């Protein structure tokens, strides 16, 4: 009901030229999670649904952009270093780093991979070392459980996320 009232109010207040660019609908599963929050963050913030492999860029209650993501190889909340799980909870962007020259050995027999994290590493303050939102060397891994605990996007999308939405201090809610 609250969702319907909010949509009707937005339609009534927005001129037709703005309605064409209106926010995307909030999926029911996300709406149920946001209703538990008191209050939801104002301004731009991110919600990551591990179960649905989706990163939502939010503006208050509104979804303004979505991205497909890959998350930890193992499901559940991170419990120890090296468990290949993505942590769950409310975090924030701690640092944004140029990762274009970074390399990493994923211990898959392929050795060191150049540009393993794509152009950017958006480091999250989670209490765990090295957790962030970044690009990929393997676009086919998107929408799968494939990472060592980070959130992985396509390179062009992490570039857009960094340039348009991500700032130090941006809130990031990671859901199961």
């Amino acid at each position: 009901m609250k969702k319907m009232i909010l949509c009707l109010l937005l339609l009534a207040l927005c001129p037709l030229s703005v309605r064409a660019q209106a926010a995307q609908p909030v999926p029911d599963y996300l709406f149920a999670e946001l209703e538990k929050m008191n209050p939801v963050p104002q301004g731009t913030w991110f919600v990551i649904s591990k179960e649905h492999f989706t990163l939502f860029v939010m503006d208050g209650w509104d979804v303004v952009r979505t991205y497909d993501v890959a998350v930890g190889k193992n499901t559940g909340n991170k419990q120890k270093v090296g468990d290949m799980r993505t942590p769950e909870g409310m975090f924030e962007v701690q640092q944004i780093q140029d990762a274009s020259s970074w390399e990493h050995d994923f211990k898959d027999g392929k050795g060191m991979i150049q540009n393993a994290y794509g152009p950017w590493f958006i480091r999250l303050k989670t209490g765990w070392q090295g957790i962030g939102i970044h690009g990929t060397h393997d676009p086919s891994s998107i929408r799968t459980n494939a990472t060592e605990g980070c959130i992985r996007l396509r390179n062009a999308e992490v570039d857009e996320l960094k340039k348009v939405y991500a700032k130090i201090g941006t809130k990031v809610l990671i859901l199961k």
Side-chain angles (χ1 to χ4, degrees), residues 92-97 102 121-125 130-132:
E92 66 181 51
V93 173
Q94 180 178 24
Q95 187 178 26
I96 301 173
Q97 298 170 272
W102 294 7
F121 190 90
I122 302 169
R123 188 173 301 279
L124 303 180
K125 187 175 185 177
I131 300 293

Side-chain angles (χ1 to χ4, degrees), residues 127-142:
W128 298 96
Q129 188 173 0
I131 300 293
I133 302 168
H134 59 76
T136 185
H137 67 289
D138 182 10
S140 68
S141 69
I142 302 302

Side-chain angles (χ1 to χ4, degrees), residues 74-132:
N74 295 321
T75 60
N77 193 8
K78 188 158 196 65
Q79 298 182 18
K80 63 181 182 177
V81 173
D83 67 6
M84 306 289 185
R85 291 183 172 101
T86 300
E88 298 167 4
M90 180 65 87
F91 309 112
E92 66 181 51
V93 173
Q94 180 178 24
Q95 187 178 26
I96 301 173
Q97 298 170 272
D98 180 344
S100 59
S101 64
W102 294 7
E103 54 185 32
H104 184 71
D105 184 348
F106 291 94
K107 310 287 188 240
D108 58 3
K110 297 178 183 173
M112 294 300 280
I113 303 292
Q114 298 293 333
N115 199 24
Y117 298 100
W120 302 105
F121 190 90
I122 302 169
R123 188 173 301 279
L124 303 180
K125 187 175 185 177
T126 65
W128 298 96
Q129 188 173 0
I131 300 293

Side-chain angles (χ1 to χ4, degrees), residues 5-122:
I5 292 170
L6 179 63
C7 288
L8 290 173
L9 182 61
L10 285 172
L11 281 173
L13 295 175
C14 292
L16 286 176
S17 62
V18 174
R19 288 185 197 170
Q21 301 169 7
Q24 300 171 26
V26 177
D28 289 340
Y29 69 86
L30 179 57
F31 189 79
E33 290 294 328
L34 298 183
E35 278 191 308
K36 297 175 191 175
M37 299 177 68
N38 187 18
V40 298
Q42 295 303 303
T44 300
W45 62 295
F46 307 148
V47 179
I48 297 161
S49 171
K50 298 190 312 182
E51 179 180 6
H52 296 95
F53 302 104
T54 305
L55 184 154
F56 297 89
V57 176
M58 307 293 295
D59 182 7
W61 276 87
D62 295 329
V63 175
V64 297
R65 181 78 163 91
T66 60
Y67 300 97
D68 292 335
V69 299
V71 295
K73 289 178 185 175
N74 295 321
T75 60
N77 193 8
K78 188 158 196 65
Q79 298 182 18
K80 63 181 182 177
V81 173
D83 67 6
M84 306 289 185
R85 291 183 172 101
T86 300
E88 298 167 4
M90 180 65 87
F91 309 112
E92 66 181 51
V93 173
Q94 180 178 24
Q95 187 178 26
I96 301 173
Q97 298 170 272
D98 180 344
S100 59
S101 64
W102 294 7
E103 54 185 32
H104 184 71
D105 184 348
F106 291 94
K107 310 287 188 240
D108 58 3
K110 297 178 183 173
M112 294 300 280
I113 303 292
Q114 298 293 333
N115 199 24
Y117 298 100
W120 302 105
F121 190 90
I122 302 169

